[in-house]
Amino acid sequence: MDSLYDRALSEVGQEGKFQIRFDIFYNALLAGLWSLAFNNIILALTITQHNCKLPERPANLSEYLWKLKYIPIVKEATGDNGTKFSACLIFTANNDTEACSIYDYDKTWFETTIPSDNNWVCENELNVVNIFSYSKIGETVGSFVFGWLGDVYGRKPTIVISLAMLIFGRLISVLASSSFVLFTLGCVIASFPSWSVPQGTATISMEISSPKRRANVATLRLVSTSIGLCLTPLFYWWLRSWKPYMIFTTVTLMPCLLFSWKIIESPRWLLVNREYGKCIEKLKVIAKVNNTNLSSNIENDILTSGEDVLASSTKLLGPLALFSGWRLAINTTLQLLLWVCVTLNYTAVLLSSAETSYGNPFLDFAGQSIAEIPGYFVASWLADRVGRRYTGMISTTITTLIWIIYVFRDFSGTEWLQSQWLGTFLVITNRLTITVSYYIIDLLNVELYPTCLRQTGMSLGNLVSGGAAALAPYVLHLGRRFDIRYSSAILIVTTIFCGILTSFFLPETLNVKLPETLEDAQNFGRRNRNYYMSVRVKEETVDSNLPGNIPNTRH
């Protein structure tokens, strides 16, 4: 039987003009602008080609011979005995070598970046790695803090505070870029709210919409953030320098912050927290736009019987409950390992997008970002036809093969392996398959945990995911500064053992009755990974707490 809130929402309209307008302004426009500001730091921290600044070259001497006179030749990090001019050393008058005091940067595409302005290269290159890592740690902690804020103080104040911190943090980084400490502090402040803005608006939308709209809401939010990520490099290409680029992509959020007070608070949240008068007020706002009415009977029921709002409350369980049974502990551990695989792969690919370009780095970054959009739909189609497990196995297997091909590209002189078209194809395909893997792990997080532990399980996944994301910059640094085989080996081994094998041993959740109690979860998948609880789920028996078929979280 429908809850009191469901009956009230049915009266004021679950699919009317209010919901459509909300989605256009917040889950499309705001999500896209937020993505611009949240991800602009990735390109701004690109390390461009560089070497020691040399005296002016005589006209009668080739560039190669001129460099040979001043710059030592060193072994490449590819490990194939290849050599190149050092990017960090220069000959002294005594024919010894010393570190560069002044650098010359390639300005073909980037007029300036943060590393080029501050000389965060060579021995100072670790500054860039640390900034990315500290930001990811900030995201991890922030996901817990703002998740708690959203549940305790409401979705609306969480969104407003998150917007303010993102803008404030980015402006600190721009204004104090000469100080590593202040710049890093700004990055951590900006990353601390994590994905609270798009997740918060999507949560409100799902809580004021019918169940069949929820998948569309999640899809709209994910696609919008990917479009924002795709537009990010195009603005850099236009502005060329990192400061105007960072300012432009950040201040576009200012109108959203100024008018954020107009965002409606979730009536469901207000009702659960016994703010019955405010709940009725928000329901009437929805009804006015949808040209409907909230009946006096429902209004009186809300004021007098608030505990009928949702399902009866359940005992709060801590994170240790996720390991309270053998099968549940295995399922939890497998999911956490899959989080490590997917996040490490995604973060490594994202952070190296501009540096591994085979042509125009801005168009390559945009092309890789746009590949995420079909990735969502491919993942949804495969997940509903071949199952979650097999889709995860397929995507992680393809990702592993791509990393192996990269190794052959680094060590082979075969012409077709070195071709630009193959490099572009591999990068875009890798981004698409990793997006599919991300979809699957988010979906499994929603489906494998019981209702009473679902939020706890997703929070634990965010924690492990954040830890893996913080390690990714160091994996890239290892390959860039020492030997590319090290980072390739780490990604290959991680994807095989934490991706392919983990997906194989997880239980299938396609068309099965999902666990609702702790006891259900402790037995889920115990007998048969494919068909445990093999009762085909009809549409009306789907867990009403699920946010739809498309997941609601993303790192």
Side-chain angles (χ1 to χ4, degrees), residues 81-140:
N81 296 320
T83 58
K84 64 175 183 178
F85 285 109
S86 173
C88 305
L89 300 174
I90 192 171
F91 286 122
T92 65
N94 298 325
N95 214 30
D96 294 327
T97 58
E98 65 178 8
C100 304
S101 57
I102 304 176
Y103 292 90
D104 191 15
Y105 294 91
D106 183 0
K107 296 186 178 181
T108 303
W109 300 107
F110 297 86
E111 184 67 28
T112 64
T113 64
I114 298 167
S116 69
D117 267 7
N118 295 285
N119 288 328
W120 289 347
V121 293
C122 298
E123 69 272 9
N124 294 321
E125 188 176 304
L126 202 59
N127 286 351
V128 177
V129 179
N130 288 333
I131 288 170
F132 278 128
S133 183
Y134 298 155
S135 297
K136 292 301 178 183
I137 293 172
E139 283 186 43
T140 303

Side-chain angles (χ1 to χ4, degrees), residues 332-458:
T332 299
T333 303
L334 291 174
Q335 287 187 88
L336 296 180
L337 289 174
L338 190 55
W339 266 121
V340 171
C341 163
V342 175
T343 306
L344 188 62
N345 276 292
Y346 182 81
T347 308
V349 170
L350 184 64
L351 296 184
S352 62
S353 294
E355 296 176 20
T356 57
S357 172
Y358 296 96
N360 185 325
F362 305 114
L363 291 181
D364 284 351
F365 190 99
Q368 294 174 46
S369 301
I370 210 73
E372 293 185 1
I373 297 175
Y376 301 135
F377 296 100
V378 169
S380 177
W381 187 85
L382 287 174
D384 287 339
R385 283 159 180 80
V386 303
R388 282 63 159 142
R389 289 178 55 241
Y390 291 117
T391 300
M393 290 171 61
I394 291 169
S395 60
T396 50
T397 299
I398 294 174
T399 299
T400 303
L401 293 175
I402 290 174
W403 289 130
I404 293 173
I405 293 173
Y406 273 128
V407 173
F408 281 105
R409 280 173 60 85
D410 292 328
F411 295 99
S412 172
T414 307
E415 185 175 348
W416 70 271
L417 276 175
Q418 302 295 329
S419 62
Q420 181 177 330
W421 68 266
L422 178 62
T424 302
F425 172 79
L426 290 174
V427 169
I428 292 177
T429 304
N430 205 18
R431 188 70 164 265
L432 189 147
T433 57
I434 295 172
T435 299
V436 172
S437 300
Y438 239 127
Y439 180 102
I440 293 301
I441 181 56
D442 278 348
L443 191 57
L444 287 171
N445 254 221
V446 172
E447 294 180 334
L448 280 175
Y449 292 126
T451 303
C452 57
L453 283 172
R454 188 163 292 127
Q455 194 63 44
T456 301
M458 294 176 72

